[in-house]
Amino acid sequence: MISKYYLGLDIGGTKSAVVLASLPENPADEKPLLHDRFVLPTGSAASPRALVDALLQAARRMLTGLGPDQTVVGTGISCGSPLDSRRGLILSPPNLPGWDQIPITEWVRDATGLPAWLLNDADAGALAEWRFGAGRGCQNMVFLTFGTGFGAGLILNGRLYSGIDDGAGEIGHVRISPTGPVGYGKAGSLEGFCSGGGIAQLARLMVLEKTQMGERVAFCDRAGGPEQLSARLVGEAADDGDPLAQEILAVSGRYLGQGLAILLDLLNPERIVIGSIFARSQRWIWPAADEVLKRESLARTYRRCQVLPAQLGEQTGDLAAVSIALEGEKGALPQ
């Protein structure tokens, strides 16, 4: 019996990885099996080509260990937007300076002799959570990244929906307040309030209000000053019982609730799955978000929709890239 294997490339602003995976005997019940993984810092390479070549060299080493009854179907590539999935081009993502008009699928095909498919990381994350995580079994799902950025991957009527040029789901660009933290190039955007960088900006502002009134903020002192604050540090302080940290996350939650209400009333999904920071700090973000969501959305759509934390955790990037290859093999990706 021939075993099918899949390569996945996850290209991120901080680190990039290549993985080799296969499906278990009962793929309906289990996640893909990860057999090998190679990671390196994205900024460690002198150029985009050098980074991709290093990943592909590692991929070729992985493939040499396969036997004659083990075949590799193709490679899924996950990367931040903007990109052109149909032509296989990476188009200058803000977290990847210098990645301009990169023909990534061509490079991968030439190096491996295998088919290659490209999607943005939100769409790829949606596929992974839909197939193997919190979205399993539903036909209409929204996946929200809530990490470095705030974007959405949309599963509508049992298929990925990406728009005419991979621009669907850019909910982080929606301005939700006239003023506020800057995200996606917009002050007061959803990404400004619901992302790692946005929460750090919000924390600096709210800490400044306290310090100007003569109060000390312990978690800011421990961080080494306001400029060193991050969403992770705020989350850890909230877990330790700091009331200001908890309020910072509640403010983020209230704006998240407004964004979720837009998605509910517009798309009427069965589930909204939220990753990264939300999954880590749900206990501080969700009560405030739910209060606003219940008030602002239609009662019927609110009752029918579950809002859940992402389930795949640290495996999200790997499984997202592999999921692209799985969908590409089936011809289920947007053409």
Side-chain angles (χ1 to χ4, degrees):
M1 179 178 176
I2 295 177
S3 300
K4 290 183 178 181
Y5 283 71
Y6 303 82
L7 283 170
L9 265 66
D10 179 26
I11 299 173
T14 303
K15 61 180 175 62
S16 295
V18 58
V19 298
L20 179 66
S22 67
L23 289 179
E25 291 184 7
N26 187 357
D29 296 332
E30 299 182 49
K31 295 180 290 189
L33 303 173
L34 299 179
H35 299 280
D36 207 344
R37 187 172 191 260
F38 173 78
V39 185
L40 77 168
T42 301
S44 64
S47 67
R49 186 65 195 246
L51 178 81
V52 175
D53 283 348
L55 293 172
L56 292 173
Q57 184 177 2
R60 285 192 292 269
R61 287 197 299 269
M62 296 175 187
L63 299 181
T64 59
L66 297 180
D69 60 342
Q70 297 170 318
T71 181
V72 182
V73 173
T75 306
I77 308 163
S78 172
C79 183
S81 290
L83 51 78
D84 185 332
S85 65
R86 292 157 180 83
R87 293 192 296 157
L89 298 176
I90 297 173
L91 305 173
S92 307
N95 64 338
L96 291 170
W99 288 67
D100 307 322
Q101 299 284 329
I102 300 299
I104 184 71
T105 57
E106 178 184 322
W107 290 356
V108 173
R109 285 196 304 266
D110 289 348
T112 64
L114 299 168
W117 302 275
L118 172 68
L119 284 181
N120 71 56
D121 50 5
D123 285 349
L127 286 174
E129 284 289 341
W130 179 47
R131 292 298 189 193
F132 310 113
R136 189 185 301 181
C138 70
Q139 292 295 296
N140 294 276
M141 185 200 86
V142 176
F143 171 73
L144 296 171
T145 55
F146 207 139
T148 303
F150 187 78
L154 307 176
I155 304 294
L156 302 179
N157 295 327
R159 291 183 67 90
L160 176 69
Y161 178 77
S162 59
I164 59 170
D165 60 1
D166 302 294
E170 297 291 7
I171 188 70
H173 195 243
V174 173
R175 197 188 304 273
I176 207 76
S177 171
T179 59
V182 177
Y184 214 138
K186 259 187 191 175
S189 66
L190 265 171
E191 186 166 301
F193 287 102
C194 303
S195 67
I199 289 175
Q201 292 177 62
L202 190 61
R204 287 193 284 272
L205 176 62
M206 294 176 68
V207 165
L208 181 62
E209 291 174 347
K210 293 291 185 182
T211 56
Q212 285 188 345
M213 298 305 292
E215 298 181 40
R216 292 189 63 183
V217 179
F219 71 86
C220 181
D221 293 342
R222 290 196 300 271
E227 294 307 312
Q228 303 305 314
L229 290 172
S230 66
R232 185 175 290 276
L233 288 171
V234 172
E236 291 171 352
D239 291 340
D240 290 339
D242 188 285
L244 178 59
Q246 292 170 4
E247 177 55 23
I248 291 167
L249 293 176
V251 170
S252 177
R254 286 192 279 275
Y255 285 100
L256 174 64
Q258 291 187 43
L260 295 180
I262 294 170
L263 291 170
L264 251 67
D265 288 351
L266 187 64
L267 299 175
N268 191 204
E270 297 167 65
R271 289 179 211 160
I272 295 178
V273 177
I274 314 178
S276 196
I277 294 167
F278 179 84
R280 292 199 305 267
S281 298
Q282 180 185 3
R283 62 186 294 201
W284 309 117
I285 296 172
W286 176 241
D290 187 37
E291 181 181 356
V292 173
L293 176 59
K294 187 175 183 178
R295 182 178 69 241
E296 295 293 331
S297 62
L298 291 166
R300 173 171 50 87
T301 57
Y302 174 84
R303 287 195 304 268
R304 294 292 303 276
C305 183
Q306 289 179 290
V307 179
L308 302 171
Q311 289 183 353
L312 300 180
E314 296 301 318
Q315 287 189 311
T316 297
D318 296 339
L319 293 178
V322 172
S323 295
I324 298 171
L326 291 168
E327 295 297 300
E329 178 192 18
K330 294 186 296 186
L333 295 178
Q335 300 296 315

